[in-house]
Amino acid sequence: MAAKAAGCGRNISVMSAAAVLAWPAAALALEGEILDAAGKPVAQAMVTLRPATLALGNSSYTVFTDADGRYTLPAQAGGEHLSVRKLGYASQTVAPAAAARITLQGSDNFAAEAPPSAWMPRTGADDLARANTILQCTSCHQFPSQKVRDYSQMLDGKSEAEKQAAWKAMIDYMRVKFVQIGPDQSQYDPAQMDFKTILDPTQGSFDAHDEEQISAFLAKHLPTNFDQLKQYDYGAPLGVNARTVMREIQLPQDAFVREVGLTPDSPYLWGADLQHNRLLRVDPASGEQKPYPIPYPGPTGPHTIIDAPDGSFWVTMLEQGVVGRFDPKTEQWKLFDKFGKYEMAHDIAPNYKFQAMPDPKGRYWFTLIGSNRMASLDPETGEIFTVDTPKDDGESAMHSGLYSTVITRDGKRAWFSQLSGGIGAVNTETGKIDVYLPMPQGAGPRRMAIDDQDVLYVPMFGTGEILIYDSKTDKELGRVMMPDPNNASYSAVWDPWRRVVWLGTSNADVIYKFKPEDRSFEVFPMPSAMGYLRMITFDRSNGNLWTAYSNIPTGAGPSRFVMVDPGDGITVNAAR
């Protein structure tokens, strides 16, 4: 079978899965140059070639121009639409036949090009009303999304008090929507729940204080007209170059594939499809996709997928207290369901290589978001041990939001973060919490990274900072503001080859590269709008990044796997 590369007039043989994951410097499918209105080259412009319709399994490819405005697309790229964009210019879409030379016109209106974060004020980390708005609203979807903007436009001309009342009504609506985002056959069916319970602020993830603070902030600061945006910048230089390549693979639009898992033991990409209670296997060569339903009665809601050194995957699930270990070679599961029906296993602790790692007793550590507890699991015996983590008196477990966890290199501490709490560590030998650092409400510590020196990098979803903390000396090393404080950074992951931290954002349509040695950032813009990113992982054969667009509600935005080859030519066996 052969696929014709549009615009180059030759046939390219479909490559093997391994070859597609690690592209060689092969023949070029399409090339051209991007100029401005004065005929000068436009460097670092994004060039994307995509099919007219992104059918299931189809791919689009993105590259960037060099200093001379030149670009080249890889041979496997094909499609009918070639789009070019860069901040400060009006984007263009042409047929591949017109790709040899494209002229971009400058523009001082960023409204069509900027991400949702651009519409929020860039106030500092101490503005906890802004931070709490980002934390609570962007935890499920980009904010302000187009629907939110439409709602805000209807409030044009209203008094601030009227706007606040309208936003309070919207928050109540979001309380209902929150219980509708579970998987198929979810046990949290709002049709079967008492409506007063759904609207009770003491039971959900955002309480009465959040409601008052967020509604007042939106009434005062969110625009009611979104036609003009005169200023926006990434806040840091672009990290892309002429060798940077991005690939998007279309997944089922009705799926909620939160994360992608890779292991050198499998030629496939594996996704956790929370919506349909399954794993989704994707062949990177053909785009062919095969579902693997979780072999457990009723809904499971697979959330996190992460590989282990033995080539297996650990999968946490948000329903019925289930976690599982899946062997992609034999396609066999081992399921553990002793956490408790409403515990909601969220994350499993990875090490600095971003692989699931047990403690010295052979136990794996998990966060239970439904009960605000850390838990260990002995996979040999099935024994469960739990540890309560701090929360305020009267605060619901869902509001506290016990979220991520990582494990130190010696396995003696499992660190955790809480969305509306702090960060802390469980001593895996004693089973006691021996460190806890509370954070102000709105800070929102999310999915943290740990490096090979046991330094933590904690993205603050609300305030837009990175907390850097030495877990060996229990000393905070600093807090660094990210380029866009409204980026809503969902995750951080340590890159052992490049010795940097990658941060996936939910609200800025970018990935950040953070260099600890000088605390600087580079920005990698995503090819698609509404690029709501979750976790980032690696292809361990070449160091490329993989992530997924995971919008809530299902179908509200693009549903795709995304590969990023930064174009730096690193050697993966150089990692310690």
Side-chain angles (χ1 to χ4, degrees), residues 279-312:
L279 295 187
L280 192 65
R281 190 190 78 181
V282 179
D283 185 334
S286 65
E288 180 184 5
Q289 300 175 18
K290 180 179 179 181
Y292 286 75
I294 309 296
Y296 193 84
T300 53
H303 177 279
T304 297
I305 181 169
I306 183 170
D307 69 319
D310 64 2
S312 65

Side-chain angles (χ1 to χ4, degrees), residues 357-360 407-413 428-429 454 472:
M357 189 187 94
D359 67 16
I407 196 163
T408 55
R409 190 160 183 166
D410 61 10
K412 294 182 179 180
R413 270 184 174 178
T428 63
E429 296 180 313
D454 287 340
K472 287 183 177 177

Side-chain angles (χ1 to χ4, degrees), residues 43-64:
Q44 294 180 308
M46 175 186 288
V47 182
T48 300
L49 182 61
R50 68 177 77 240
T53 302
L54 267 177
L56 185 68
N58 281 359
S59 290
S60 63
Y61 293 85
T62 296
V63 295
F64 296 82

